[in-house]
Amino acid sequence: MINGIVYRVRTGVPWRDVPERYGSWKTLYKRFTRWQEDGTWARIEAMLQADADTAGDL
């Protein structure tokens, strides 16, 4: 699931063009938008930035 969403974001392809190996494009889209609306992506980004800052990688 996450790999499919990352693939789509990284490549910029339309949701319908995400390879089937990642699952249904509709499921990927729904999960992505739900996580965007509830702030999950923002929390993931904040945690990754905090980890990188702690490790001195920023």
Side-chain angles (χ1 to χ4, degrees):
M1 181 75 53
I2 299 295
N3 287 336
I5 292 170
V6 170
Y7 175 86
R8 192 277 173 185
V9 171
R10 183 175 40 89
T11 62
V13 300
W15 285 106
R16 290 177 186 254
D17 293 341
V18 173
E20 288 184 24
R21 69 178 176 261
Y22 296 119
S24 166
W25 71 267
K26 292 177 185 179
T27 303
L28 295 173
Y29 173 77
K30 287 177 186 177
R31 179 74 50 93
F32 175 81
T33 57
R34 186 172 54 222
W35 285 7
Q36 183 69 28
E37 291 171 357
D38 72 9
T40 300
W41 291 119
R43 289 191 303 276
I44 291 170
E45 180 182 17
M47 289 172 47
L48 291 172
Q49 286 178 341
D51 288 348
D53 189 34
T54 301
D57 293 337
L58 285 181

